[in-house]
Amino acid sequence: MCGIAGYIGKRNFNKNTIKSLLQLMKKRGPDNQKYLKKKTNNKKYLNFFFSRLSILDIKGRSNQPFKYKNLILIFNGEIYNYKELKILLEKKGYNFSTQSDTEVLIKSIHCWGLNSFKKFEGMWSLAYHDTTKNKTIFCRDRFGEKPLLYILKKDEIYFAS
C-alpha cells in the first residue's frame, strides 16, 4: 500500500531533505512520489509527503497530495464503501473526475466534516489540512489496521503511516 509522512512546524526542509525522504518512501509506493510544502497562516510549514502504489484509478489524476477547494489530503489505505458514498455525494451535487476512493474521501470530508469518519468502512490513515480554518486533522481506522505514528516536539509534529 501507499505511504504518507509529514511535518508541521517552523523548519523549512530543503530540496535534498525532501528528495531523501521521498526516496526512503519509494518502496511503500513505487508508482508516484509527490510532496506539498505550504506556509500556513501562523507562519509554520506544512509538509505532506506521499508515495503511491496505484490500485484504484491508476491514472495520475488520483495522485496525492489531493486537493479539493480548501482541503489538502494524504491518505494511506482503502475505503471499502467508497462507491456507495460516491452515490450519496452525487445526489448532493458533487461531481467526480476520478474513480478513486481518495476523491470520495476528500469530498466526504468537505460535505460532512468530522462526521464523515463515521461513514467510512475500511482501513486508513490520513492527514488533511483545511486552508480556510488553518487546521490539520489526523485520523486512522477504528482498529488501527493502518497505523498512524507521530512525534510531538514543542511546536512541531512529525507523522507517518
Side-chain angles (χ1 to χ4, degrees):
M1 281 278 177
C2 304
I4 64 171
Y7 166 81
I8 302 170
K10 294 191 177 183
R11 287 184 59 199
N12 184 9
F13 294 140
N14 63 37
K15 289 182 182 181
N16 289 334
T17 302
I18 292 167
K19 185 178 177 182
S20 295
L21 179 62
L22 289 172
Q23 187 62 38
L24 286 170
M25 295 174 64
K26 191 167 182 122
K27 289 184 181 177
R28 295 289 302 155
D31 298 321
N32 182 266
Q33 287 77 42
K34 282 179 70 175
Y35 74 95
L36 176 136
K37 179 166 65 170
K38 177 176 180 41
K39 199 156 191 180
T40 65
N41 295 344
N42 57 355
K43 299 182 181 170
K44 290 185 179 181
Y45 291 97
L46 170 77
N47 293 270
F48 279 180
F49 304 94
F50 183 74
S51 192
R52 182 175 185 203
L53 175 64
S54 300
I55 297 173
L56 297 176
D57 194 348
I58 62 174
K59 296 181 180 173
R61 64 189 180 193
S62 294
N63 289 342
Q64 299 178 39
F66 199 95
K67 298 176 189 176
Y68 178 70
K69 295 195 178 188
N70 57 313
L71 301 177
I72 305 165
L73 171 76
I74 53 174
F75 150 67
N76 173 26
E78 184 177 353
I79 304 301
Y80 303 143
N81 63 331
Y82 79 97
K83 290 181 180 177
E84 292 85 356
L85 292 172
K86 184 176 183 177
I87 291 167
L88 293 175
L89 290 164
E90 286 172 333
K91 288 179 181 176
K92 290 186 165 287
Y94 285 85
N95 296 310
F96 292 85
S97 59
T98 75
Q99 298 298 314
S100 72
D101 54 352
T102 304
E103 186 178 16
V104 172
L105 184 61
I106 199 168
K107 289 181 178 177
S108 293
I109 293 167
H110 184 265
C111 181
W112 297 302
L114 294 177
N115 288 326
S116 62
F117 297 117
K118 296 176 187 175
K119 298 178 183 298
F120 302 148
E121 295 173 13
M123 55 180 179
W124 70 86
S125 183
L126 64 82
Y128 80 89
H129 182 77
D130 184 322
T131 59
T132 303
K133 296 177 182 175
N134 196 34
K135 189 175 193 177
T136 305
I137 301 290
F138 303 95
C139 181
R140 69 176 172 101
D141 63 84
R142 294 161 193 83
F143 299 107
E145 200 168 344
K146 290 292 177 186
L148 181 60
L149 307 171
Y150 61 93
I151 297 170
L152 294 172
K153 189 177 176 184
K154 291 190 180 183
D155 291 335
E156 300 177 308
I157 185 166
Y158 299 83
F159 64 93
S161 176

